Amino acid sequence: MEENARIALVSGANRGIGEAITAGLANEGVHVLMGCRDLEKGKEAAAPFVAAGLAVTPVQLDITDAASVAALAQQLADSFGHIDILVNNAGVGLDFVPDLSVPEKMAQTLEINVIGTLRLTEAMLPLLSQSSQPRIVNVSSELASFGLRHDPEWEHADKILPTYAASKAALNALTVSYAAQLGPQGFKVNAICPGFTATAATNFLPDRTPEEAAVVAVEMALTGEDGPNGSFSNDRGPLPW
Ligand SMILES: NC(=O)c1ccc[n+]([C@@H]2O[C@H](COP(=O)([O-])OP(=O)(O)OC[C@H]3O[C@@H](n4cnc5c(N)ncnc54)[C@H](OP(=O)(O)O)[C@@H]3O)[C@@H](O)[C@H]2O)c1
């Protein structure tokens, strides 16, 4: 492990886009803490990275569990005293789940995508505040974009996922509030859309790989002093809110 390597925490890192963000950051010399609900799955996911000599450590993290989040914050405070990067990647989309009412889908989605993300962010702020270049990346979705939803030519106009989109719109609102609040302290807080990507969340449908999806998240996590704060973008550039 590089001495003085930056330290990143990625939530939902045991699979999909979170796993690819882990790889992308670790390949840039960042020590990545892979936040995983099931630590055994995390150890399995981390094994190939560790075998390849990358600085990757699985840690237990369920963002809906206050005790899990508090325990991790304490563990990181004791081990490192700070972190540099938080990637809020953990998230769900429940719009197509059978046997749940729409209000149940909304409540569960908000609990994970919004309240869970807020819980983790609040717990990590003291550790991020100890960094000289604190960065927060919120993994959002262009499905939350009001501007794109109003464009009939938008390539995803046929994808209507009301509770998921509402949760990511709330995440976008948190992004701009945190950016305004923390920007004066040197933070960069940005939302990204990884793009429609083949993961368990999409039944592995599109051709886009998690590695392609991770590029914009890694770029924002490593953005320099001149980088954006309070932005929403994908790998093609800024997105309308
Ligand atoms: N795939 C796409 O097309 C797409 C497009 C735009 C945005 N996104 C966003 O990208 C992010 C990653 O999605 P993905 O496609 O990689 O999905 P995925 O393969 O389903 O991975 C989701 C990850 O989140 C974790 N997670 C779920 N609930 C959690 C909780 N309470 N605490 C901690 N971790 C939790 C999962 O852990 P378990 O394995 O334990 O369930 C898993 O590691 C999500 O925020 C998603 O909304 C995805």
Side-chain angles (χ1 to χ4, degrees):
M1 193 180 310
E2 272 179 41
E3 214 177 321
N4 299 323
R6 276 170 293 182
I7 299 169
L9 172 63
V10 181
S11 67
N14 54 289
R15 69 183 196 201
I17 296 169
E19 187 179 12
I21 293 171
T22 297
L25 287 172
N27 278 315
E28 293 293 333
V30 176
H31 179 189
V32 185
L33 309 167
M34 295 179 85
C36 305
R37 282 201 290 192
D38 179 338
L39 191 55
E40 290 310 311
K41 282 188 194 167
K43 286 177 184 167
E44 272 174 42
F49 300 135
V50 174
L54 296 173
V56 169
T57 308
V59 293
Q60 200 283 328
L61 173 63
D62 182 338
I63 62 174
T64 63
D65 179 350
S68 164
V69 172
L72 180 58
Q74 189 61 54
Q75 180 189 335
L76 302 187
D78 293 344
S79 303
F80 308 110
H82 79 286
I83 63 169
D84 302 284
I85 298 163
L86 171 62
V87 182
N88 283 313
N89 166 77
V92 296
L94 303 179
D95 286 282
F96 300 126
V97 172
D99 304 328
L100 282 179
S101 70
V102 175
E104 286 170 337
K105 291 174 187 176
M106 187 77 263
Q108 292 182 24
T109 304
L110 288 177
E111 180 57 38
I112 297 169
N113 294 6
V114 183
I115 299 172
T117 299
L118 186 69
R119 177 182 292 114
L120 180 63
T121 304
E122 288 293 314
M124 293 300 147
L125 283 183
L127 293 166
L128 286 160
S129 296
Q130 298 303 312
S131 169
S132 57
Q133 292 195 313
R135 305 288 180 257
I136 299 175
V137 180
N138 290 330
V139 179
S140 182
S141 168
E142 69 181 275
L143 297 183
S145 165
F146 299 100
L148 290 171
R149 179 55 67 196
H150 283 115
D151 175 1
E153 303 301 319
W154 177 38
E155 62 179 311
H156 298 302
D158 62 332
K159 295 186 183 68
I160 302 174
L161 288 69
T163 67
Y164 178 71
S167 76
K168 295 296 189 181
L171 180 62
N172 284 356
L174 288 176
T175 302
V176 294
S177 295
Y178 274 125
Q181 183 187 330
L182 300 170
Q185 298 163 44
F187 277 70
K188 306 283 188 196
V189 186
N190 294 291
I192 61 96
C193 175
F196 186 39
T197 303
T199 68
T202 59
N203 286 326
F204 302 97
L205 270 181
D207 292 335
R208 187 173 171 80
T209 65
E211 289 68 31
E212 291 171 290
V215 169
V216 64
V218 170
E219 191 182 297
M220 277 302 165
L222 300 177
T223 197
E225 289 307 301
D226 297 337
N229 182 39
S231 72
F232 181 31
S233 60
N234 64 12
D235 58 8
R236 288 177 278 179
L239 290 165
W241 291 104

